[in-house]
């Protein structure tokens, strides 16, 4: 068994890099689609050659929401596992490559059907909109590929535990495994609707689909999906940022407990996306709203831990007063600055999430562009800026290069551009949403409504923000290409923080997977069994659907 490495093994580095390249290619294409969307919604621009707004919107959502995130996360986690628990075995690495190719082939297949206008069903692919079967089969391959990669990580972690009996596993490996367990359990829902409902229906093997069941299975997956995106950002905050600033992690056990709480409470909450849907009893909606408020707790713990880390470091450097520690943080280091701005944006982003989850308030914002504003703050700012910040050390670490001062300066500018663009875009989305502006709609569908006049200034602000963000995308691509191919050769550290109190017995209990997975299954059964039986037993005849191809 290989010993823990200070560096990621070269062969594992290739596997991680392959994932990151697909992720950043998706960012380039999906970002361009996003620019076109905001221009169309401003009412001042029309797409050429009869291209549908919904084709562009689907391209944007699938490439950024599903492809960029999943590839970045799996690549990052392979690197994290290899760095902290030693080189992958040949078997695990081969399994990782199989997962990568399945995901890549699936992505190419789905992208083909989206770009040829046969799958303009948006990233949530709600029935009764029907795409070409090839789109769903492509998505199924992406999910199966990600499972294969997850199994490679589980096998590697299990080997480590076997050879290190009684020891607490390295934090980043524990976190990667927790995130993959969460992903595996939640993606069973989307796999079920795709394989048993949508593929047979789009192939014409069944002529109707139970719409409510498919949406329920989608959201069983859809909310934990957002925590699958968030947790790798939290890995960077907990386990990397303290080292980058020169301090120590506040508490290793607290970080592990937060991850276990995410595993327990992120899945049985999908109904908070369906609060306004008929056919689900108010009682079960209420139960899931309560569970949604439980899943806020680990984020509050994370906020506490980050403040504690920053403050302890600042005080160790002589800071005094309530906020004196802020001055001691390394503002000119892009590895810190980008994730920190992500944290800052998570304060209003999380507040918006709490508003969404508050049953009655959801009626004000549901299906308005407020929700789009919410997820551009969460995933497209907090998560994505943290991924960018991680790329500033991860890519040069994997390619054997170093980031120059000029690139670091460009990365600081990139972060500022992103923050300004997102303030315009997401801010105006929130305001327009409160005025009732719908989400997921081309300008032409509501331009004749008298209310649209009120929304137009905000839509122009969105286009301004979208254009600034597109500049941000060009900047990050310049930096990534430089770090991958042109930066000077050298050694870059993969920073891993030490905990302030290194050995905490509680951490061992948090690796009792039988207990945690058992509890996850119990919570899911409590939250979903009765409502799903209801949805099946009281199903209307089903919808024939709207074929989009
Ligand atoms: Fe959400 C809709 C509720 C978090 C993503 N969400 C969405 C959709 C997406 C999404 C993509 O209940 C749209 C889906 C669609 O297409 O329909 N969301 C929540 C709640 C949270 C939440 C309660 N969402 C996220 C995260 C996402 C994400 C994270 C992506 C990564 N969301 C909802 C609901 C809907 C919804 C409803 C459905 C709306 C509808 O009607 O359709 C919570 O997890 C948020 C908790 C977060 C906090 C913030 C903690 C702050 C921290 C930062 C500390 C800062 C520091 C720096 C240390 C409580 C950790 C400080 C320094 C200084 C100097 C101050």
């Amino acid at each position: 068994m290989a010993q823990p490495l200070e560096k990621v093994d070269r062969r594992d580095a290739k596997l991680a890099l392959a994932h990151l390249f697909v992720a950043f290619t998706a960012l380039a294409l999906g970002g361009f689609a996003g620019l076109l969307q905001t221009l169309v919604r401003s009412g001042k621009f029309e797409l050429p050659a009869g291209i549908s707004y919904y084709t562009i919107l689907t391209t944007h959502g699938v490439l950024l929401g599903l492809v960029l995130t999943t590839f970045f996360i799996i690549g990052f986690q392979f690197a994290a596992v290899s760095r902290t628990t030693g080189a992958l075995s040949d078997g695990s690495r081969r399994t990782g490559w199989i997962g990568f190719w399945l995901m890549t082939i699936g992505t190419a297949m789905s992208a083909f059907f989206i770009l040829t206008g046969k799958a303009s069903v948006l990233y949530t692919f709600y029935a009764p909109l029907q795409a070409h079967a090839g789109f769903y089969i492509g998505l199924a391959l992406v999910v199966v590929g990600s499972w294969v990669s997850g199994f490679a990580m589980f096998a590697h972690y299990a080997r480590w535990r076997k050879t290190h009996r009684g020891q607490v596993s390295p934090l980043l490996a524990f976190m990667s495994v927790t995130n993959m367990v969460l992903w595996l359990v939640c993606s069973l829902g989307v796999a079920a609707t795709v394989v048993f409902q949508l593929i047979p229906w789009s192939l014409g093997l069944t002529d109707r689909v139970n719409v409510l069941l498919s949406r329920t299975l989608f959201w069983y997956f859809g909310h934990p999906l957002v925590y699958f995106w968030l947790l790798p950002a939290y890995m960077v905050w907990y386990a990397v940022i303290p080292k980058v600033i020169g301090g120590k992690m506040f508490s290793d056990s607290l970080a592990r407990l937060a991850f276990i709480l995410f595993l327990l409470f992120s899945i049985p909450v999908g109904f908070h996306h369906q609060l306004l849907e008929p056919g689900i009893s108010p009682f079960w909606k209420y139960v899931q709203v309560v569970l949604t408020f439980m899943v806020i707790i680990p984020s509050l713990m994370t906020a506490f831990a980050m403040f504690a880390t920053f403050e302890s470091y600042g005080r160790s450097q002589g800071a005094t007063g309530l906020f004196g520690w802020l001055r001691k943080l390394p503002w000119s280091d892009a590895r810190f600055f980008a994730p920190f701005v992500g944290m800052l944006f998570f304060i209003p982003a999380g507040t918006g999430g709490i508003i969404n989850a508050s049953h009655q308030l959801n009626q004000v914002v549901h299906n308005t562009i407020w929700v789009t504003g919410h997820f551009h703050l969460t995933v497209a700012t907090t998560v994505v800026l943290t991924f960018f910040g991680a790329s500033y050390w991860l890519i040069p670490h994997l390619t054997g290069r170093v980031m120059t001062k000029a690139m670091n300066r460009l990365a600081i500018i990139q972060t500022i551009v992103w923050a300004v663009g997102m303030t315009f875009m997401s801010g105006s989305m929130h305001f327009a949403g409160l005025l009732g502006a719908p989400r997921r709609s081309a300008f032409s569908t509501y331009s004749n409504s008298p209310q649209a006049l009120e929304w137009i200034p905000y839509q122009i602000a969105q286009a301004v923000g979208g254009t600034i963000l597109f500049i941000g995308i060009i900047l990050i691509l310049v930096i990534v290409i430089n770090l991958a191919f042109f930066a000077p050769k050298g050694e870059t550290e993969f920073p891993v923080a030490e905990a302030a109190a290194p050995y905490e017995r509680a951490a061992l209990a948090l690796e009792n997977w039988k207990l945690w997975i058992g509890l996850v299954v119990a919570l899911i059964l409590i939250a979903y069994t009765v409502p799903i039986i209801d949805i099946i037993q009281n199903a209307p005849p089903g919808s024939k659907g709207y074929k989009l191809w």
Side-chain angles (χ1 to χ4, degrees):
M1 178 75 191
Q3 288 304 305
L5 295 171
E6 286 295 306
K7 285 182 66 176
V8 174
D9 177 86
R10 275 174 58 82
R11 294 156 302 170
D12 300 343
K14 277 193 187 148
L15 177 61
L17 272 173
H19 285 84
L20 300 190
F21 287 146
V22 178
F24 282 102
T25 309
L27 177 69
L29 301 175
F32 182 61
L35 173 68
L36 294 180
Q37 262 160 252
T38 52
L39 295 180
V40 172
R41 281 183 70 98
S42 71
K44 310 269 178 229
F45 172 82
E46 271 184 35
L47 289 167
I51 300 172
S52 152
Y53 172 80
Y54 299 100
T55 300
I56 298 296
L57 184 54
T58 309
T59 310
H60 177 73
V62 169
L63 284 181
L64 297 186
L66 304 179
V67 179
L68 161 72
T69 47
T70 312
F71 276 85
F72 187 94
I73 290 166
I74 293 185
F76 167 72
Q77 290 183 170
F78 269 127
V81 164
S82 172
R83 160 72 174 82
T84 55
T85 51
L88 299 180
S89 68
D90 289 346
S92 293
R93 193 176 308 110
R94 207 171 314 116
T95 314
W97 278 110
I98 295 173
F100 169 79
W101 282 112
L102 283 172
M103 280 171 45
T104 308
I105 293 167
T107 300
M109 209 168 150
S110 295
F112 172 80
F113 288 103
I114 297 171
L115 293 173
T116 50
K118 292 180 176 151
S120 302
V121 287
L122 314 193
Y123 87 110
T124 41
F125 47 92
Y126 283 156
L129 296 181
Q130 190 190 78
H132 190 285
F135 168 79
Y136 302 116
I137 296 171
L139 285 183
L141 283 178
V142 174
V143 172
V144 172
S146 68
W147 290 348
V148 171
S149 295
F151 287 125
M153 287 178 213
F154 296 153
H156 186 64
Y157 168 79
R159 271 179 80 217
W160 187 93
R161 295 232 310 172
K162 231 181 188 167
T163 48
H164 296 77
R165 285 201 187 280
Q167 289 182 30
V168 177
S169 63
L171 182 60
L172 277 172
F174 169 85
M175 290 172 152
S176 302
V177 166
T178 311
N179 202 28
M180 287 321 278
V181 173
L182 184 155
W183 172 252
L184 211 98
V185 179
C186 79
S187 52
L188 289 173
V190 74
T193 178
V194 166
V195 173
F196 298 117
Q197 291 190 281
L198 303 179
I199 293 180
W201 174 59
S202 58
L203 287 172
L205 302 174
T206 51
D207 72 333
R208 285 170 188 274
V209 67
N210 180 336
V211 172
L212 185 56
L213 181 62
S214 77
R215 288 169 71 105
T216 303
L217 288 171
F218 181 86
W219 284 119
Y220 162 93
F221 153 80
H223 200 73
L225 167 72
V226 314
Y227 296 115
F228 173 70
W229 299 334
L230 181 69
L231 293 194
Y234 278 8
M235 289 183 207
V236 174
W237 296 5
Y238 276 113
V240 173
I241 292 293
K243 181 75 188 287
V244 168
I245 66 173
K248 294 221 162 136
M249 187 193 325
F250 170 68
S251 161
D252 174 282
S253 296
L254 180 140
R256 288 177 202 254
L257 179 62
F259 270 56
I260 290 296
L261 292 178
F262 274 115
L263 179 61
L264 294 180
F265 293 113
S266 69
I267 303 175
V269 294
F271 285 169
H272 73 221
H273 292 262
Q274 299 176 280
L275 292 175
L276 295 193
E277 276 175 40
I280 302 169
S281 118
F283 172 77
W284 292 108
K285 287 180 181 169
Y286 177 73
V287 167
Q288 294 209 10
V289 163
V290 172
L291 291 171
T292 304
F293 276 80
M294 299 295 288
V295 81
I296 294 168
I297 294 171
S299 280
L300 294 175
M301 288 164 61
T302 304
F304 175 81
M306 295 320 297
F307 274 110
T309 300
F310 294 147
E311 184 175 348
S312 320
Y313 170 72
R315 294 203 187 283
S316 76
Q317 300 299 304
T320 52
L322 197 54
F323 289 109
W325 47 271
L326 270 170
R327 278 204 297 277
K328 301 287 176 188
L329 297 173
W331 298 107
S332 57
D333 184 341
R335 298 173 308 161
F336 161 76
F337 186 63
F340 184 87
V341 173
M343 292 177 201
L344 221 51
F345 271 77
F346 202 40
I347 298 172
T351 311
I354 295 171
I355 290 170
N356 297 344
S358 305
H359 213 152
Q360 288 83 349
L361 281 181
N362 186 264
Q363 305 197 11
V364 180
V365 295
H366 182 68
N367 270 344
T368 70
I369 201 158
W370 160 287
V371 175
T372 318
H374 162 69
F375 70 70
H376 278 84
L377 285 186
T378 48
V379 64
T381 309
T382 301
V383 170
V384 159
L385 274 182
T386 304
F387 288 180
F388 291 170
S391 302
Y392 302 149
W393 48 264
L394 181 59
I395 297 179
H397 177 90
L398 298 175
T399 54
R401 296 177 187 273
V402 284
M403 193 179 199
T404 58
K405 279 200 169 124
M407 277 301 134
N408 182 64
R409 207 171 314 120
L410 196 60
I412 300 270
I413 295 172
Q414 198 284 336
T415 308
I416 295 169
V417 166
W418 201 266
V420 172
M422 204 51 94
T423 304
F424 269 98
M425 197 180 85
S426 176
S428 51
M429 285 173 166
H430 279 89
F431 282 113
L434 290 178
L435 295 173
R439 63 184 287 210
R440 302 178 152 168
S441 307
F443 181 74
S444 54
T445 53
Y446 56 77
S447 54
N448 289 330
S449 110
Q451 274 172 304
L453 285 178
E454 284 183 39
W455 306 332
I456 285 174
Y458 296 102
Q459 293 180 182
I460 292 176
Q462 280 166 41
V464 171
T467 311
I468 299 174
L469 283 166
F470 190 66
I471 297 171
I473 288 186
I474 295 173
L475 292 181
I476 183 72
L477 291 174
V478 168
I479 300 168
V480 164
I481 292 170
N482 176 275
L483 293 177
F485 303 109
F486 301 107
K489 293 266 179 200
E491 301 266 301
T492 294
E493 181 193 16
F494 183 139
V496 177
E498 272 176 41
Y503 184 69
E504 292 166 277
R505 277 198 67 77
L508 270 176
L510 294 166
E511 281 187 274
N512 185 346
W513 294 107
K514 280 190 193 133
L515 172 67
W516 304 123
I517 295 175
L519 278 175
V520 172
V521 173
L523 277 170
I524 293 170
L525 290 177
I526 292 170
Y528 275 106
T529 310
V530 176
I532 291 222
I533 292 174
D534 267 358
I535 290 171
I536 294 174
Q537 276 183 344
N538 302 316
S543 172
K544 276 190 178 282
Y546 304 97
K547 213 174 188 150
L548 294 177
W549 48 282

